[in-house]
Amino acid sequence: MQSTMQDVPLTVTRILAYGARVHSSSRVTTWTGEAEPQRRTFAETGERSHRLAHALRALGVREGDPVGTLMWNTGDHMEAYLGIPAMGAVLHTLNLRLPAEQLAWIVRHAADRVVLVNGSLLPLLAPLLPHLDCVEHVVVAGPGDTSLLAGRRPEVQVHAYEELLAAQPGDPYPWPELDERAAAALCYTSGTTGEPKGVVYSHRSVYLHAMDVCNPDAFGLTAAETCLPVVPMFHVNAWGLPYAAFMAGTSLLMPDRFLQPAPLADMIAAERPTVTAGVPTIWQGLLAELDARPRDVSSLRTVVSGGSACPPALMKAFEERHGLTVVQAWGMTETSPLGSVAYPPHGLEADEAWPYRITQGRLRPAVDARLVGPDGRVLPWDGKSAGELEVRGPWIAGAYHGGADGEPQRPADKFSEDGWLRTGDVGTITPDGYLTLTDRAKDVIKSGGEWISSVELENHLMAHPEVAEAAVVGVPDEKWGERPLAAVVLRDGAVVDYAGLRAFLSERIARWQLPERWTAVEAVPKTSVGKFDKKVLRRQYADGELVVTTLA
Amino acid sequence: MQSTMQDVPLTVTRILAYGARVHSSSRVTTWTGEAEPQRRTFAETGERSHRLAHALRALGVREGDPVGTLMWNTGDHMEAYLGIPAMGAVLHTLNLRLPAEQLAWIVRHAADRVVLVNGSLLPLLAPLLPHLDCVEHVVVAGPGDTSLLAGRRPEVQVHAYEELLAAQPGDPYPWPELDERAAAALCYTSGTTGEPKGVVYSHRSVYLHAMDVCNPDAFGLTAAETCLPVVPMFHVNAWGLPYAAFMAGTSLLMPDRFLQPAPLADMIAAERPTVTAGVPTIWQGLLAELDARPRDVSSLRTVVSGGSACPPALMKAFEERHGLTVVQAWGMTETSPLGSVAYPPHGLEADEAWPYRITQGRLRPAVDARLVGPDGRVLPWDGKSAGELEVRGPWIAGAYHGGADGEPQRPADKFSEDGWLRTGDVGTITPDGYLTLTDRAKDVIKSGGEWISSVELENHLMAHPEVAEAAVVGVPDEKWGERPLAAVVLRDGAVVDYAGLRAFLSERIARWQLPERWTAVEAVPKTSVGKFDKKVLRRQYADGELVVTTLA
């Protein structure tokens, strides 16, 4: 028996057409730092997306071509989000926080010929431009000093976004009929180790992900809401919120470059968004600001926190002092990013709900997950067995963009033989699908077919009154494969007492997990973003640079 | 540039696996009319779906085969909903309210070899069985008098559902890897004219539709909700609620055959569902019941009404007298059925919201709509221009099952040349996507390239104090193609005064819409379900059976 359903592709074009028509009066408001924000309706945003497509076509952009955007969260960027994929080109969001060399590498790897840039970011782009030999056109959105570009690469044509749009015909762009598996958007992982990896989202994945973002057990976007995406539009498509909002008719409040706590608090009080999303660092800053200078933030029903684990103390402080509910969610560039959201099961008292709320969340319906243990076996969802998280689903990456031969690449450490994404995170899953991540897989200590969590050991050690900081890494061991080495930074005046520390640990963890090898260091080596740099510790150990005491 | 996303099909199998695992403790509760309802968890429901698949496989069911279900809304039926599509077979829900001949025709047309039937429906099935020569196995779920089947067709094997399940292996059924465009479910339209038409839903369409049903601007199902589908599971898959609920972890309260107002009120009070859905007739009965014998129905946040227009007075009565919000939605068998939901725009006062709430609703994001006028041109969405509604989308039918050659059939009166579904309904759409349906296209009067709404004329005529009932049909006219004929039933004692009625109308509608032809009848001919039977009136006019007065 054959299905008799229509075969209609799921595309960004449909999101654009629907939002601009049915929710024509919903708004994209961009904070300007001045008396009046910039306000555009969805109808205007749609119309300008058509003009942008006309303009890019005139600059030579064809189906399948990437178009770079070096932009903050703005109304203009929203138009690029819609118009570029709808014309069949690929929206390539550029992470303006990356080191210059990495950013240049990414532009060249993607082969962007056109880059849209906020005028305020010209000081960042200008010195890069000589290294971007693929770029032929720079389109400058909003005010900025274009003279900064002068002489950098004379063959590059510089355009003003508004002039370019004004010069286009007012008639609709003839959107092509796209296959839903065609490329829609490209985002590179920041890649702390090795080269950045490009994830190419399809129209299908963007559409399905937007549907799920709107789900009430996810972010619950409706036509009655206003969403403030603090998460940048160059971080995994601002977690898919712009597309979901345009689909749902949810008004958007775009913060532009005003991501400091004070303007964020000001715009929340003035524009009254109902839902917002960002990383814990942003919420830490906002909390301090609100504590110091209270604003009316009562419009917010939900503050979504993702990107890294949100400290429970921060969640509690928001709730107790400002009546705001922080909801954790988990995802990564490779997962579009929605993987799980930490709403507790129904009907629990606040204190019963808490253990669920501090997890990475409950898996979303379209996301299959499995935990793979040190021996490669799939582990049970019992809330205890820890394994590397692997995921599968219609908005999960199964490859990276452009290997040496230009074809998608599937490195074995990132994708399983049967096509699942290896997240590189180690954690547990409860029987009812709540995920807790504890370690990066590369930091877990593989000891005799079992895993020891370095993060757990570190947390226990740092709870000792004489320890200022502690890092634990796996080092080679003839008998066990790997064993933990504990590197501790003692507080001023403290005296080294490894046996005492070991005794302290033995009250808290299983005996076989206790480190034999100990060393005292001046400071734990750190990466540029302040994370423990365990590579350095392992190398120092291997090179014999550490004074190690071994306890029997 | 190629997408790097995984290619994971959207299937019922995924809904089943996710719901049974992540929401294992959500419940399917079936009302029994006795002290205790039947309660099964999603985990048990999932496990039983596997057993059902094993059993059907043993009875010879293969991928692509239809399996009939002649069942009320029950936990057993839910298992069929999940297990049959997941094994690659096709769930064929049979409408037990159809005339016996039509039901038999449908079973034969689909070629069902296995039929699952509620024991309580054996009195319906038994006399049909001799006419169902394709049927080889009957599986009886729940208590019933199987002796009714004796001697009807001795070659048919009769099985007890529970025994069949108990006899199966407990290990999981090896679900096949299905194409998302494979057939999942089959539902025939009741077809008031001509043969019933089979709509075959795909796994893809079922999955996408379930995602949309969960959307907060649709039915808003979450893991915190309990849903009471009063709409039968043989009516367009109970509007997709069972699949959406299993995906969202929403507990289901199944009414079985207890659809009378009193048990409905009882089960709402006892089991406290948060959302329910059904046709206006059901709500009319429930309102009277609650007025007469109040129950605690405060658990319900939303009462969804669809299938036909809900009288505004009914909506208001529920709100004022019982604090219940009725939300209208529109759809049809061919649209899975979710097409539009009548939530008003944000921020309106109750009296401003009312005009939106009595529409058929706002179009859902995945559903494209257009209005096609009498001359075939697409009309604007201005809330005034009336045309036939045509729709397109990933869960909209583009054909019907099995024409003479066994291939899908695309009759030109049902599907446009470019593949859109012609709904056969005439209406208007506002600029912000609110749909109002007024007439069936076949009842609209095509007068000189313009359409006259028969329903509008009837409503005006029936507002006249001397008119008890009125029907308006189009009759052939040499000059205009068609013109309206008004057939009125006068109240007792009233005197025929066509000129007066015409003058009454002329104050309410445009002059060119005024009927010239008038007739008085004893009663308006009705169909078996009580609708005006305009075919009969047109025939009576054509055959000269009516006494017609013509006004200049």
Side-chain angles (χ1 to χ4, degrees), chain B residues 361-377:
Chain B
R362 197 172 211 178
L363 292 161
R364 296 298 306 148
V367 179
D368 297 339
R370 67 184 179 199
L371 298 173
V372 179
D375 58 358
R377 278 193 308 177

Side-chain angles (χ1 to χ4, degrees), chain A residues 4 6-8 14 18 21-22 180-181 200 204 214 216-217 223 362-363 366 368 381 392-393 396-399 419, chain B residues 4 6-8 14 18 21-22 180-181 200 204 214 216-217 223 362-363 366 368 381 392-393 396-399 419:
Chain A
T4 63
Q6 296 178 14
D7 202 354
V8 174
R14 291 176 67 78
Y18 177 79
R21 185 166 198 184
V22 170
E180 70 183 32
R181 287 179 169 78
V200 186
R204 171 183 167 93
C214 293
D217 274 334
R362 198 173 209 176
L363 293 161
D368 297 338
W381 290 12
R392 176 174 179 266
I396 311 284
Chain B
T4 63
Q6 296 178 15
D7 202 354
V8 174
R14 290 176 68 78
Y18 177 80
R21 184 167 198 182
V22 170
E180 69 183 34
R181 287 178 168 80
V200 187
R204 171 183 167 96
C214 293
D217 274 333
R362 197 172 211 178
L363 292 161
D368 297 339
W381 291 11
R392 175 176 180 266
I396 311 283

Side-chain angles (χ1 to χ4, degrees), chain A residues 301-345:
Chain A
R301 64 161 171 84
T302 304
V303 175
V304 178
S305 178
S308 60
C310 189
L314 177 59
M315 297 170 69
K316 284 188 169 153
F318 261 114
E319 223 157 279
E320 286 163 12
R321 302 212 288 271
H322 304 283
L324 291 183
T325 304
V326 178
V327 175
Q328 285 213 85
W330 169 82
M332 47 201 287
T333 305
E334 289 88 339
T335 66
S336 288
L338 195 54
S340 58
V341 186
Y343 283 107

Side-chain angles (χ1 to χ4, degrees), chain A residues 1-10 14 18 21-24 64 66 90 110 177 180-183 186 198-202 204-205 207-208 211-212 214-217 220-225 247-248 334 336 346 362-369 379-381 391-401 406-408 419-421 431-433, chain B residues 1-10 14 18 21-24 64 66 90 110 177 180-183 186 198-202 204-205 207-208 211-212 214-217 220-225 247-248 334 336 346 362-369 379-381 391-401 406-408 419-421 431-433:
Chain A
M1 187 171 296
Q2 272 178 268
S3 150
T4 63
M5 292 289 110
Q6 296 178 14
D7 202 354
V8 174
L10 310 174
R14 291 176 67 78
Y18 177 79
R21 185 166 198 184
V22 170
H23 296 287
S24 55
V90 181
E177 282 289 328
E180 70 183 32
R181 287 179 169 78
L186 168 62
V199 176
V200 186
Y201 308 109
S202 65
R204 171 183 167 93
S205 74
Y207 193 100
L208 291 170
M211 286 184 81
D212 198 47
C214 293
N215 185 289
D217 274 334
L221 299 191
T222 73
E225 306 268 335
M247 179 183 270
E334 289 88 339
S336 288
H346 179 53
R362 198 173 209 176
L363 293 161
R364 297 297 307 147
V367 179
D368 297 338
L379 302 176
W381 290 12
V391 290
R392 176 174 179 266
W395 58 74
I396 311 284
Y400 289 121
H401 174 58
E407 291 294 300
W420 292 52
L421 172 73
D432 47 357
Chain B
M1 188 171 295
Q2 271 176 269
S3 149
T4 63
M5 291 290 110
Q6 296 178 15
D7 202 354
V8 174
L10 309 174
R14 290 176 68 78
Y18 177 80
R21 184 167 198 182
V22 170
H23 296 287
S24 56
V90 181
E177 282 290 328
E180 69 183 34
R181 287 178 168 80
L186 168 62
V199 176
V200 187
Y201 308 109
S202 65
R204 171 183 167 96
S205 73
Y207 192 100
L208 291 170
M211 285 184 82
D212 199 47
C214 293
N215 185 288
D217 274 333
L221 299 191
T222 73
E225 306 270 334
M247 180 184 269
E334 289 88 339
S336 290
H346 179 52
R362 197 172 211 178
L363 292 161
R364 296 298 306 148
V367 179
D368 297 339
L379 302 175
W381 291 11
V391 290
R392 175 176 180 266
W395 58 74
I396 311 283
Y400 289 121
H401 174 59
E407 291 294 300
W420 293 52
L421 172 73
D432 47 358

Side-chain angles (χ1 to χ4, degrees), chain A residues 34-272:
Chain A
E34 289 161 30
E36 262 308 294
Q38 177 200 79
R39 298 186 195 278
R40 290 178 191 149
T41 64
F42 276 18
E44 287 162 346
T45 298
E47 202 262 335
R48 289 167 57 92
S49 305
H50 280 265
R51 286 178 182 267
L52 174 59
H54 277 300
L56 292 174
R57 187 73 184 74
L59 298 184
V61 173
R62 296 288 185 280
E63 281 186 41
D65 287 354
V67 176
T69 61
L70 189 65
M71 300 173 88
W72 297 107
N73 294 14
T74 65
D76 296 339
H77 206 172
M78 185 72 210
E79 291 150 17
Y81 258 55
L82 297 168
I84 293 171
M87 72 183 290
V90 181
L91 169 80
H92 177 200
T93 51
L94 294 166
N95 183 343
L96 55 90
R97 298 237 172 80
L98 290 182
E101 315 77 55
Q102 222 174 79
L103 201 48
W105 186 93
I106 287 172
V107 171
R108 288 196 308 264
H109 189 259
D112 298 331
R113 291 192 301 121
V114 180
V115 171
L116 275 57
V117 61
N118 278 136
S120 60
L121 290 170
L122 287 172
L124 174 63
L125 180 66
L128 275 184
L129 201 53
H131 309 286
L132 310 180
D133 46 11
C134 50
V135 173
E136 299 167 15
H137 298 275
V138 169
V139 180
V140 181
D145 181 3
T146 52
S147 74
L148 289 170
L149 299 176
R152 301 286 185 164
R153 273 187 62 227
E155 65 272 35
V156 170
Q157 292 184 40
V158 179
H159 314 265
Y161 186 78
E162 286 304 325
E163 286 172 26
L164 209 55
L165 259 56
Q168 302 309 314
D171 50 318
Y173 186 91
W175 303 128
E177 282 289 328
L178 297 169
D179 187 303
E180 70 183 32
R181 287 179 169 78
L186 168 62
C187 185
Y188 282 76
T189 62
S190 44
T192 45
T193 56
E195 287 169 352
K197 308 282 188 195
V199 176
V200 186
Y201 308 109
S202 65
H203 282 264
R204 171 183 167 93
S205 74
V206 167
Y207 193 100
L208 291 170
H209 185 268
M211 286 184 81
D212 198 47
V213 165
C214 293
N215 185 289
D217 274 334
F219 298 170
L221 299 191
T222 73
E225 306 268 335
T226 296
C227 175
L228 165 61
V230 180
V231 51
M233 290 169 81
F234 53 78
H235 275 175
V236 212
N237 293 341
W239 301 350
L241 290 165
Y243 291 120
F246 217 76
M247 179 183 270
T250 305
S251 286
L252 281 160
L253 172 59
M254 297 295 202
D256 199 308
R257 63 192 181 280
F258 304 99
L259 300 177
Q260 307 73 27
L264 279 180
D266 289 342
M267 74 183 79
I268 292 167
E271 297 290 327
R272 304 192 60 73

